[in-house]
Amino acid sequence: MKLSLLAAALLVGSAAAQNGAQCLYNHHFADGTFIIDQPGSYKLCDDIVFCPHNDINIETASDEDISQAFDPIEQGNPKYNNNEYALGFFAAIAVQADDVSLSLNGYSIAQCREHALMQRFFAVIELASAPFTPGIGPHNFVSTTFTPAKNFELTGPGTIGLSSHHGIHGNENENVQITGVTFKDFEVGAVSLNNVKGLEIKNCDIPNNRQDVPILGSFSAALKIRP
């Protein structure tokens, strides 16, 4: 009886957290990366296609238009720090707070093909305030403090889809749980967490990685060439 009551309490608590979760819709991503910097519960309430400033036609747009569409530094949006976002929008969701739960809630989240072409380092979900730790990588990506996520929970059902690099990426994280998620159409890895302490991945499915990559690896370097 005690076990039954405990199980019931856990179910009620989980349902309450889900009902009180903040809904994420496509409009939350219109300007770029959705930054989670407060603990709490979040859930997808739409199939998210990450394509900031998606009114651009990449076939006819000028180089300047494309650069401004996909480059937060060019746009001058103050919520995107010049150091952390020097490589562009490196994630659809950046979790830089502890004690965050995210439910896919039966929906999907993926990079659009245009952004996947131009943003070659990307994670659908980044579990930190920056893509690299201090002193690592081709640039100083940390302006003040590097903030990795701790006590993060991702639950399905749902799909983390197209990504030019990772489904989930992070550094120095602690206590990460990923349950019931489908990963597909990533180019490098479904989950890549460096020096993680406490990781549990359960009942996830990886049916395929991306098979139709339209460019070579050298394209990434070519994008960064300056006159």
Side-chain angles (χ1 to χ4, degrees):
M1 177 63 72
K2 289 183 179 180
L3 288 177
S4 298
L5 289 174
L6 175 60
L10 289 173
L11 287 172
V12 170
S14 177
Q18 175 80 355
N19 291 335
Q22 177 182 341
C23 269
L24 301 182
Y25 297 96
N26 273 287
H27 70 79
H28 287 106
F29 303 85
D31 291 335
T33 302
F34 182 80
I35 299 173
I36 296 179
D37 56 6
Q38 297 294 323
S41 299
Y42 302 79
K43 64 181 179 181
L44 299 189
C45 292
D46 199 358
D47 288 320
I48 305 299
V49 179
F50 184 77
C51 203
H53 301 273
N54 62 1
D55 54 344
I56 189 171
N57 184 336
I58 203 168
E59 299 290 339
T60 59
S62 67
D63 292 345
E64 182 179 3
D65 289 339
I66 293 173
S67 173
Q68 291 178 350
F70 295 144
D71 189 337
I73 309 306
E74 291 285 341
Q75 294 168 18
N77 190 325
K79 72 178 178 179
Y80 300 118
N81 183 279
N82 285 8
N83 289 67
E84 280 81 349
Y85 289 83
L87 285 180
F89 294 115
F90 59 85
I93 298 174
V95 182
Q96 53 190 68
D98 297 342
D99 304 311
V100 168
S101 65
L102 173 63
S103 169
L104 296 181
N105 196 28
Y107 293 99
S108 64
I109 179 168
Q111 196 178 17
C112 73
R113 289 181 174 271
E114 293 85 353
H115 192 256
L117 175 65
M118 301 303 295
Q119 180 66 43
R120 300 306 298 156
F121 189 87
F122 183 84
V124 176
I125 300 174
E126 179 73 33
L127 297 184
S129 56
F132 293 93
T133 55
I136 302 298
H139 171 81
N140 179 18
F141 290 98
V142 179
S143 56
T144 54
T145 303
F146 176 76
T147 309
K150 300 177 182 178
N151 305 324
F152 173 78
E153 181 181 16
L154 175 68
T155 57
T159 300
I160 292 183
L162 181 67
S163 172
S164 60
H165 225 77
H166 299 111
I168 299 175
H169 178 261
N171 292 286
E172 308 295 337
N173 305 110
E174 296 181 15
N175 301 327
V176 176
Q177 296 183 1
I178 304 169
T179 307
V181 177
T182 297
F183 295 89
K184 66 178 185 178
D185 295 332
F186 53 87
E187 294 185 26
V188 176
V191 179
S192 179
L193 299 176
N194 301 304
N195 201 32
V196 62
K197 295 178 177 65
L199 171 63
E200 186 175 31
I201 300 176
K202 298 188 301 182
N203 301 323
C204 291
D205 186 27
I206 306 176
N208 62 276
N209 63 344
R210 188 177 184 186
Q211 301 293 310
D212 61 343
V213 181
I215 40 82
L216 299 175
S218 55
F219 181 74
S220 300
L223 286 173
K224 301 304 176 184
I225 292 175
R226 293 292 185 266

